[in-house]
């Protein structure tokens, strides 16, 4: 079954051109010119990756990303003419995984999406299934927090913890093995395959998002800790 991509772009020429290029690569592409109809598709049918413009009529791209995230963990690449750092960080904090500024070269977009699609699939896992081999116990207090890299799951006791693909990959890198300090540059290279725009602040944004999902108190993290001047370290508890 071909990989299914969603393209949300209100410029007809850009949208059709990009869709043709993606279809030539063998992808199944569903196109939308407005965020409302794109959101209905995401809520109704699974997609493997989304390519999203920010400047749209009606609901903007930021809002679309925030509203799509509860329904889908599929990677999201922003394609936008807005290149201000604030816009980039805001899109990433909303739930995007990557950001490409216009005008772009289609080969670059293809490289980015292939890198994202190569990452392991994140699943919820069966609540009553035993932890598979290779599971890492991140936190054993008040119901264990379990990371299973091979199964693509994170669970707090019997409850699934829903991470995006990028958040899951970031957690796996920190956990292999725990206790090491990894610099932002190292995480950028390993998680984003040197495919991002090069700003190491992307790592900080995704660390903040990850902490909101696995830390008891994200404001005072005990698992993913900052090592000032060096980077980040995962401390199992």
């Amino acid at each position: 079954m071909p990989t299914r991509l969603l393209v949300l772009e209100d410029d007809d020429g850009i949208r059709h051109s990009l869709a043709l290029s993606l279809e030539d690569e063998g992808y199944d592409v569903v196109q939308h010119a407005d965020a409302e109809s794109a959101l209905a598709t995401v809520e109704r049918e699974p997609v493997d990756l989304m390519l999203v413009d920010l400047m749209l009529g009606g609901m903007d791209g930021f809002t679309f990303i925030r509203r799509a995230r509860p329904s889908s963990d599929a990677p999201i690449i922003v394609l936008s003419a807005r290149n201000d750092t604030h816009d980039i960080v805001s899109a990433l904090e909303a739930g995007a995984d990557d950001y490409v500024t216009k005008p772009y070269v289609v080969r670059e977009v293809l490289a980015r999406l292939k890198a994202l699609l190569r990452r392991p699939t994140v699943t919820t896992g069966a609540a009553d299934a035993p932890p598979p081999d290779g599971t890492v116990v991140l936190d054993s207090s008040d119901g264990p927090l379990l990371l299973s890299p091979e199964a693509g799951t994170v669970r707090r006791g019997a409850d699934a913890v829903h991470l995006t693909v990028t958040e899951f990959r970031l957690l796996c890198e920190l956990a292999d093995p725990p206790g090491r300090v990894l610099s932002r540059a190292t995480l950028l290279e390993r998680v984003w395959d040197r495919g991002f725009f090069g700003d190491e602040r992307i790592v900080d944004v995704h660390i903040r998002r990850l902490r909101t999902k696995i830390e008891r108190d994200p404001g005072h993290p005990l698992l993913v800790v900052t090592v000032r001047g060096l980077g980040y370290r995962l401390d199992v508890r």
Side-chain angles (χ1 to χ4, degrees):
M1 187 173 180
T3 300
R4 194 160 190 258
L5 309 181
L6 181 144
V7 175
L8 173 54
E9 166 64 68
D10 63 356
D11 185 300
D12 292 342
I14 294 175
R15 187 177 68 257
H16 291 314
S17 177
L18 178 59
L20 285 173
S21 296
L22 295 171
E23 288 169 351
D24 285 344
E25 294 291 322
Y27 296 109
D28 176 21
V29 181
V30 55
Q31 302 182 43
H32 288 283
D34 65 275
E36 289 81 3
S37 63
L39 185 62
T41 293
V42 172
E43 292 174 343
R44 184 179 64 251
E45 307 166 15
V47 297
D48 297 300
L49 184 141
M50 293 176 258
L51 299 154
V52 178
D53 186 23
L54 293 180
M55 295 185 290
L56 304 165
M59 185 192 304
D60 64 20
F62 298 107
T63 304
F64 168 80
I65 294 169
R66 284 193 295 269
R67 292 183 60 180
R69 266 295 167 235
S71 302
S72 176
D73 292 327
I76 297 175
I77 301 176
V78 170
L79 306 176
S80 178
R82 301 173 69 158
N83 58 8
D84 182 79
T85 299
H86 174 74
D87 292 324
I88 295 171
V89 171
S90 295
L92 297 171
E93 289 182 333
D97 295 273
D98 204 344
Y99 198 108
V100 180
T101 56
K102 297 178 181 177
Y104 53 77
V105 177
V106 173
R107 288 196 306 274
E108 179 186 3
V109 176
L110 285 168
R112 303 287 187 93
L113 69 88
K114 287 176 181 177
L116 284 167
L117 291 171
R118 280 197 301 268
R119 299 178 190 176
T121 301
V122 182
T123 62
T124 57
D128 55 354
D133 292 340
T135 294
V136 180
V137 180
L138 303 177
D139 185 356
S140 58
S141 61
D142 301 326
L145 180 64
L146 306 175
L147 165 65
S148 301
E150 294 301 322
T153 62
V154 179
R155 287 161 45 187
R156 172 75 73 178
D159 298 323
V161 178
H162 297 280
L163 303 182
T164 66
V165 175
T166 299
E167 292 160 359
F168 182 78
R169 176 72 178 272
L170 186 59
L171 182 57
C172 287
E173 290 294 342
L174 289 166
D176 186 25
R180 298 167 306 145
V181 178
L182 295 178
S183 69
R184 290 172 176 83
T186 297
L187 289 169
L188 190 66
E189 178 181 354
R190 294 184 182 180
V191 178
W192 284 268
D193 298 320
R194 288 194 179 276
F196 204 69
F197 54 87
D199 193 331
E200 294 180 4
R201 284 171 293 183
I202 173 65
V203 177
D204 300 331
V205 174
H206 283 278
I207 288 288
R208 288 201 299 271
R209 281 172 40 185
L210 178 61
R211 283 170 171 165
T212 65
K213 297 179 180 182
I214 68 169
E215 297 280 0
R216 294 294 187 181
D217 181 359
H220 299 87
L222 298 177
L223 295 173
V224 180
V225 298
T226 302
V227 182
R228 191 173 301 277
L230 296 177
Y232 295 101
R233 184 185 70 234
L234 179 68
D235 288 346
V236 298
R237 300 177 59 79

